[in-house]
């Protein structure tokens, strides 16, 4: 028997059991004789067993007094066993269970919120897909050149302020610039990147990628004259000014552009 | 005969209003409950109060007892444990208000003399003092397994923990007891100074 086996065997016994075991377990006794450390440990456990036995013997006959018995039996006679009290689930539940209930409710709320948002987004996307692409109807009375610097940086609202074109409200043209069906044309690299994408039926080219939620709303089509550099990427001729239809959103940002002629 | 019936059978009859069954159950179980409380608290007075409280609790909540979750004995020990804990907390706070602590051991600062009441020999006195000075969860394991003779499974049921926990607590408690008795029990001079384990 190794020391480890000895300890494992001995630890499965209480000191009293170890004391009672005595020398009956020959392998243990033999090991305790051979190994000084295990022998000492076993001896200490036996002494502890003896000591606990003394304490047990001293208190073995100890009992509650007759007054306690009288009081308990009197209570039984007078009131008996009380009916089972209906304990509120939360009150009787352990803290961990309460916590899990909290998380459970939270999880249900999160799932419900996700469903609502999903349904909302799904409905919007469905509506956007169903909306027919109607032609842009814009009437231009006159055109004037606009500040080319501003136009090339994606058309800020301020830059459009000095355009003297007559603006016609765009009724159904919103769908032409919504969604990802239009190609990007922000700058020269962007044009290259967007070369593989599709162009709108009316010839509008998207100038920015938009989140449908952000880019939705009223839009207007403005016809303006742009410097030739704005359309240089199209045909390589940047010297002549070009006339283009620009779709501008409520926020003043340019959504798309269509070169009308050059 | 009522004495031949199990605790569960006696409780079932008592629930039906059979006073003899309840008396038999009380007489069978009050001793272990009292001794558990006595060993845990060191005070006969506390032990009596706890015993009475345990059976009063049984009268109040006895109908809610579920035999499938454990034996009546373990159930009563579990209730007694809670009452002992409450009584000890109360006595601690009272002692803290009236007398200064004598040493670092929280159980020995109480103002009753548990040992003088019952212990007759030096060995018993020293051992009890050592048991009382153990931390509560170690003391519970020693009292239930070593002094009340409960099996590890029964003790685990009463304390609401795993059997392995009981074993490890007991092992640790025994080591602590041996160390305490080395210093405090002249009658137990045989306790070796270094009972270290060699795991060769």
């Amino acid at each position: 028997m190794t020391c480890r086996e000895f300890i494992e065997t001995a630890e499965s016994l209480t000191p009293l059991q170890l004391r009672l075991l005595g020398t009956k377990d020959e392998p243990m006794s033999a090991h305790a004789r051979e190994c000084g450390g295990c022998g000492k440990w076993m001896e200490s456990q036996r002494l502890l067993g003896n000591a606990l036995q003394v304490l047990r013997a001293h208190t073995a006959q100890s009992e509650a007094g007759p007054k306690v018995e009288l009081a308990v039996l009197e209570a039984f006679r007078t009131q008996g066993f009380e009916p089972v009290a209906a304990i509120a689930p939360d009150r009787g539940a352990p803290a961990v269970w309460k916590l899990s209930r909290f998380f459970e409710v939270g999880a249900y709320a999160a799932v419900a919120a996700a469903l609502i948002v999903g349904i909302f987004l799904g409905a919007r996307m469905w509506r956007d897909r169903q909306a027919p692409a109607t032609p842009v109807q814009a009437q231009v009375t006159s055109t004037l050149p606009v500040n080319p610097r501003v136009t090339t940086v994606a058309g800020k609202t301020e830059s459009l302020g000095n355009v003297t074109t007559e603006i016609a409200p765009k009724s159904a043209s919103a769908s032409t610039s919504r969604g990802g069906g239009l190609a990007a044309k922000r700058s020269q690299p962007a044009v290259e990147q967007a070369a593989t994408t599709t162009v709108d039926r009316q010839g509008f080219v998207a100038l920015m990628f938009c989140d449908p939620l952000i880019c939705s709303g009223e839009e207007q089509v403005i016809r303006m004259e742009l410097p030739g550099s704005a359309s240089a990427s199209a045909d390589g001729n940047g010297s002549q000014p070009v006339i283009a239809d620009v779709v501008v959103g409520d926020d003043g940002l340019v959504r798309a552009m269509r070169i009308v002629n050059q | 005969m009522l004495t031949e019936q199990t605790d569960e059978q006696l409780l079932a009859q008592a629930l039906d209003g059979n006073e003899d069954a309840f008396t038999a159950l009380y007489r069978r179980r009050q001793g272990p409950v009292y001794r558990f409380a006595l060993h845990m608290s060191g005070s006969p007075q506390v032990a009596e109060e706890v015993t009475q409280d345990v059976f009063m609790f049984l009268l109040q909540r006895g109908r809610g007892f579920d035999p499938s979750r454990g034996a009546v004995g373990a159930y009563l020990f579990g209730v007694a444990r809670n009452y002992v804990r409450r009584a000890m907390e109360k006595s601690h706070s009272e002692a803290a208000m009236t007398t200064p602590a004598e040493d670092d051991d929280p159980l020995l600062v109480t103002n009753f003399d548990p040992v003088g009441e019952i212990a007759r020999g030096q060995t018993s006195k020293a051992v009890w003092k050592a048991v009382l000075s153990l931390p509560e969860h170690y003391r519970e394991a020693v009292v239930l397994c070593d002094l009340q003779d409960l099996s590890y499974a029964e003790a685990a049921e009463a304390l609401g923990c795993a059997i392995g926990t009981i074993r490890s607590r007991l092992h640790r408690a025994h080591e602590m007891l041996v160390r305490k008795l080395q210093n405090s029990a002249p009658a137990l001079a045989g306790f070796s100074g270094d009972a270290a384990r060699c795991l060769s």
Side-chain angles (χ1 to χ4, degrees):
Chain A
M1 178 179 257
T2 64
C3 289
R4 189 174 293 277
E5 289 169 345
F6 173 85
I7 293 292
E8 281 174 1
T9 310
E11 279 183 359
S12 65
L13 305 169
T14 65
L16 290 173
Q17 290 169 332
L18 207 60
R19 187 181 71 93
L20 294 173
L21 187 70
T23 56
K24 287 177 190 170
D25 193 319
E26 188 51 39
M28 283 188 74
S29 301
H31 181 81
R33 279 194 300 273
E34 289 168 9
C35 177
C38 292
K40 268 186 173 181
W41 183 83
M42 190 159 178
E43 189 55 29
S44 70
Q45 294 299 304
R46 279 185 183 153
L47 285 169
L48 180 61
N50 286 338
L52 289 170
Q53 181 57 33
V54 171
L55 178 57
R56 262 178 70 155
H58 273 297
T59 55
Q61 301 304 318
S62 303
E63 289 184 343
K67 283 183 183 175
V68 176
E69 182 172 340
L70 284 175
V72 170
L73 293 180
E74 182 61 27
F76 177 81
R77 285 187 204 111
T78 53
Q79 61 192 38
F81 283 90
E82 290 181 10
V84 180
I87 301 171
D90 283 348
R91 199 175 152 211
V96 173
W97 191 73
K98 285 181 195 171
L99 205 61
S100 70
R101 290 266 309 193
F102 171 77
F103 283 119
E104 193 180 341
V105 171
Y108 281 132
V111 168
L115 279 174
I116 291 168
V117 170
I119 290 168
F120 176 73
L121 288 176
R124 284 201 73 113
M125 288 179 69
W126 182 81
R127 197 183 66 186
D128 289 347
R129 285 186 183 181
Q130 293 300 313
T134 53
V136 177
Q137 295 177 353
Q139 294 177 353
V140 179
T141 55
S142 65
T143 59
L144 278 178
V146 295
N147 185 351
R149 274 188 302 120
V150 181
T151 307
T152 53
V153 292
K156 290 185 178 176
T157 309
E158 296 79 22
S159 68
L160 297 173
N162 55 12
V163 177
T164 57
T165 49
E166 185 176 318
I167 298 170
K170 173 175 166 286
S171 59
S173 63
S175 61
T176 60
S177 62
R178 283 181 194 159
L182 302 177
K185 192 181 176 183
R186 284 185 182 172
S187 60
Q188 190 62 25
V191 171
E192 290 170 5
Q193 182 188 353
T196 56
T197 59
T198 59
V199 177
D200 185 62
R201 260 179 249 166
Q202 287 77 39
F204 279 90
V205 178
L207 295 182
M208 58 188 295
F209 292 106
C210 262
D211 184 335
L213 285 175
I214 297 170
C215 292
S216 60
E218 288 296 318
E219 290 162 347
Q220 292 175 328
V221 175
I222 304 169
R223 177 158 293 180
M224 59 179 66
E225 188 179 276
L226 300 175
S229 58
S231 62
S233 58
D235 58 359
N237 183 9
S239 59
Q240 298 298 320
V242 294
I243 296 173
D245 289 339
V246 178
V247 179
V248 182
D250 285 341
D251 53 6
L253 296 178
V254 177
R255 302 273 190 268
M257 185 179 79
R258 177 176 63 181
I259 303 299
V260 178
N261 59 8
Q262 296 182 8
Chain B
M1 288 290 289
L2 289 173
T3 52
E4 294 168 358
Q5 294 185 2
T6 63
D7 292 344
E8 287 72 22
Q9 288 170 331
L10 289 177
L11 179 60
Q13 291 179 40
L15 288 170
D16 290 336
N18 186 337
E19 186 179 333
D20 291 340
F22 182 75
T23 306
L25 179 63
Y26 171 82
R27 288 182 179 159
R28 184 185 293 175
R29 283 291 157 196
Q30 60 88 15
V33 168
Y34 175 86
R35 285 190 289 276
F36 170 77
L38 181 65
H39 288 139
M40 285 296 293
S41 66
S43 164
Q45 187 188 344
V46 169
E48 287 217 337
E49 285 174 11
V50 166
T51 306
Q52 183 168 334
D53 288 341
V54 166
F55 284 93
M56 291 297 186
F57 181 89
L58 184 66
L59 287 174
Q60 288 171 359
R61 301 282 180 88
R63 292 193 188 279
F65 172 74
D66 182 2
S68 66
R69 293 176 64 183
V72 172
Y75 174 75
L76 294 178
F77 278 128
V79 176
R81 177 194 182 209
N82 290 333
Y83 278 113
V84 167
R85 194 174 284 177
R86 228 176 273 177
M88 295 301 289
E89 282 169 7
K90 192 179 166 189
S91 65
H92 272 252
S93 58
E94 285 173 359
M97 284 189 291
T98 54
T99 57
E102 287 179 9
D103 58 25
D104 291 335
D105 196 327
L107 281 165
L108 297 180
V109 303
T110 49
N111 56 1
F112 52 78
D113 177 17
V115 187
E117 292 268 345
I118 297 173
R120 294 184 180 88
Q122 268 214 325
T123 303
S124 173
K125 190 175 179 178
V127 173
W128 203 350
K129 198 172 178 181
V131 169
L132 285 174
S133 68
L134 289 173
E136 191 178 316
H137 50 286
Y138 293 131
R139 193 162 74 248
E140 288 170 345
V142 167
V143 168
L144 287 177
C145 294
D146 292 337
L147 300 178
Q148 296 282 331
D149 246 354
L150 261 64
S151 68
Y152 289 161
E154 289 169 327
E157 207 173 274
L159 300 182
C161 60
I163 292 176
T165 308
I166 294 290
R167 283 183 63 162
S168 62
R169 281 182 187 174
L170 262 183
H171 174 69
R172 181 92 182 97
H174 292 158
E175 280 184 351
M176 293 165 78
L177 278 178
V178 168
R179 214 173 306 131
K180 286 174 188 291
L181 290 172
Q182 283 167 15
N183 304 323
S184 62
L188 300 171
F191 278 102
S192 59
D194 182 17
R197 303 138 80 192
C198 50
L199 293 177
S200 57

